[in-house]
Amino acid sequence: MNQLILKLPVSVKIALAPLLVMLCLLAVALQSFIGNSQTSTALEAISKTSLPRIAAAGNLKERAVQLNGMVMQSLAYEGAGLKADVIKALDNKIGEEFKALGAMLQEQKKTVSAKQPEAMARLVATEEALKKFERSALDTLDMKSAGLGTAASMMSTAESAYAELRRQMTAVVDTEMAQGSAAATEVGKTVSLVNTGTVILATLALLLSAGVTWYCNRLIVEPLGQAVDIAREVADGNLRHHDIQA
């Protein structure tokens, strides 16, 4: 290898060091590009999947609270003796809200991949809790026309079902938050790995470039020094033949 380099023209030797520096810089840029692409992909996944799912889970919980409030409001209207059409309109709205909440849960389930069994299990449990709450709440509303005393006997069941629904929805929110946090941690690890790799690669490139530059400079300067020495000897009258490797 050394003999091959020695036989190269001087112009090639001069260009060899800058060429190697450019190749090293290209390697550093390529490594940074790949790392940045991986980071961008991970961040895009968080913004398009994790964050919307966290927001949707929070919205589900909020609407469940509002729905329970509407059930209590209907019972309060009945106790206050409001007009039947007002109470009926509220009860119809409660039924529609139960359907909307069930549809939201179905949409949430569609966003969960097969690689997230815990999240899917939480949503399935929440769906079952919602159905149980819906049955007990609607039964309570149906019974209130027979008297608040009769409806009150059903309220304990409805309240228990609602408590279970809230517990499951809280678990869904916590699961989504945990998965979002884990995804963010992975992004942080990727960024750290990219930065470390870039520093290491840049350091190696600098050392390698410095070594090659020194070596090529030595290959050029030493023959020139020999030529100067021979020229001085010739000037002094020494005409012996000298071989110079350049």
Side-chain angles (χ1 to χ4, degrees):
M1 185 66 180
N2 186 56
Q3 293 298 323
L4 179 62
I5 296 177
L6 289 174
K7 293 179 180 180
L8 292 175
V10 175
S11 58
V12 176
K13 294 177 183 177
I14 294 174
L16 189 59
L19 177 62
L20 183 59
V21 172
M22 292 178 62
L23 290 176
C24 291
L25 291 175
L26 181 62
V28 172
L30 180 61
Q31 194 270 345
S32 299
F33 172 77
I34 295 174
N36 289 334
S37 297
Q38 293 175 343
T39 303
S40 298
T41 301
L43 289 174
E44 185 177 2
I46 291 176
S47 63
K48 290 186 176 181
T49 304
S50 296
L51 293 181
R53 281 172 49 187
I54 291 172
N59 188 30
L60 280 171
K61 185 176 180 180
E62 182 180 352
R63 291 189 69 166
V65 173
Q66 293 174 352
L67 184 54
N68 185 62
M70 291 169 65
V71 173
M72 296 298 104
Q73 186 179 22
S74 178
L75 294 174
Y77 282 0
E78 184 71 28
L82 266 67
K83 293 182 179 179
D85 56 343
V86 174
I87 298 174
K88 184 178 180 181
L90 179 58
D91 290 350
N92 290 337
K93 187 176 180 181
I94 290 172
E96 293 173 357
E97 188 66 16
F98 270 116
K99 292 180 181 179
L101 201 57
M104 289 175 64
L105 270 173
Q106 290 296 326
E107 289 298 319
Q108 184 82 343
K109 287 169 66 177
K110 292 179 182 179
T111 64
V112 179
S113 66
K115 297 180 180 179
Q116 299 169 315
E118 183 182 358
M120 179 59 72
R122 293 293 186 188
L123 289 173
V124 170
T126 301
E127 189 175 30
E128 292 299 320
L130 176 62
K131 291 178 180 178
K132 184 178 179 180
F133 176 51
E134 181 179 6
R135 287 194 301 268
S136 58
L138 294 181
D139 287 345
T140 301
L141 295 179
D142 289 341
M143 294 294 291
K144 74 177 185 297
S145 58
L148 290 179
T150 305
S153 64
M154 301 291 298
M155 276 303 300
S156 60
T157 304
E159 284 298 312
S160 297
Y162 172 66
E164 175 63 16
L165 177 62
R166 283 204 65 178
R167 188 179 72 82
Q168 293 296 342
M169 287 190 167
T170 299
V172 169
V173 173
D174 291 344
T175 300
E176 295 297 342
M177 290 289 290
Q179 292 181 348
S181 178
T185 300
E186 287 299 318
V187 172
K189 289 180 179 178
T190 300
V191 172
S192 178
L193 184 62
V194 169
N195 291 338
T196 302
T198 300
V199 171
I200 292 175
L201 190 58
T203 302
L204 291 176
L206 179 63
L207 293 175
L208 183 60
S209 300
V212 172
T213 300
W214 173 83
Y215 181 67
C216 291
N217 182 67
R218 181 169 173 269
L219 292 179
I220 296 171
V221 171
E222 283 192 356
L224 290 178
Q226 293 176 11
V228 171
D229 291 340
I230 292 173
R232 288 175 179 170
E233 291 181 9
V234 170
D236 292 337
N238 184 1
L239 301 179
R240 289 180 300 170
H241 175 71
H242 293 271
D243 290 329
I244 300 176
Q245 291 183 339

